[in-house]
Amino acid sequence: KERIPRHFETQTFDMKARLEERMTRANDIREAFQTFQLEVARSSENSRTGKAIPERVIGEKMLLEQRKEQEVERVRLKNITLRNQMKKLESHLKAKEELAEGLHLIDFEQLKIENQSLNEKIE
């Protein structure tokens, strides 16, 4: 009995360590990419005038990109959450359909309507 919890503890510890390592690596790569973008932006010039792009404009563009990245991350998480919710509802619906053998046709049609409305709410 004691081996099982220890096994899960070590597995959890290993997974947390891998997650931390990957998060650190991802942050390092993100910072390196932002530094590269900043270097490229500072060395670039306006194609019409040939003048360097002002730091203010570069800062605004970098901030805008940062906000967009955060929005993408938020939307991806929301998408994952909704997908998981949809899987739960589908499994719940399958369970209802299995129980539906004893139901009348009217009850089954009502369940179909409920399912459609829930799917519309998810979308």
Side-chain angles (χ1 to χ4, degrees):
K1 286 184 177 183
E2 232 175 83
R3 280 183 359 157
I4 293 174
R6 261 194 241 141
H7 171 71
F8 288 131
E9 281 182 23
T10 56
Q11 192 175 13
T12 302
F13 180 76
D14 291 344
M15 286 183 163
K16 284 182 180 180
R18 282 195 344 222
L19 175 65
E20 185 66 34
E21 180 183 318
R22 287 182 181 182
M23 292 288 283
T24 303
R25 186 166 180 257
N27 286 334
D28 291 346
I29 291 171
R30 183 180 296 119
E31 288 175 11
F33 182 68
Q34 287 176 343
T35 303
F36 174 72
Q37 279 183 317
L38 193 58
E39 289 174 13
V40 169
R42 285 183 177 153
S43 65
S44 62
E45 58 184 38
N46 190 326
S47 59
R48 291 184 194 161
T49 63
K51 294 182 181 179
I53 298 175
E55 284 289 326
R56 179 185 57 80
V57 174
I58 293 171
E60 288 174 0
K61 295 293 182 185
M62 295 291 281
L63 184 63
L64 179 65
E65 183 174 351
Q66 213 172 33
R67 287 182 182 151
K68 292 292 182 181
E69 282 292 325
Q70 290 171 350
E71 184 179 355
V72 165
E73 187 175 332
R74 184 183 53 78
V75 169
R76 283 181 179 157
L77 288 173
K78 178 93 172 160
N79 184 29
I80 290 169
T81 304
L82 289 173
R83 234 185 293 144
N84 289 338
Q85 186 180 7
M86 189 171 87
K87 285 179 185 177
K88 278 184 186 177
L89 289 172
E90 284 176 347
S91 66
H92 186 65
L93 180 65
K94 283 183 182 180
K96 278 188 174 182
E97 285 177 354
E98 289 174 5
L99 293 174
E101 292 175 6
L103 298 177
H104 297 288
L105 182 62
I106 297 169
D107 295 333
F108 187 71
E109 293 297 323
Q110 181 63 34
L111 289 174
K112 274 184 164 178
I113 293 169
E114 284 181 31
N115 183 34
Q116 287 174 344
S117 66
L118 290 174
N119 282 335
E120 288 174 6
K121 285 182 184 178
I122 289 174
E123 293 172 355

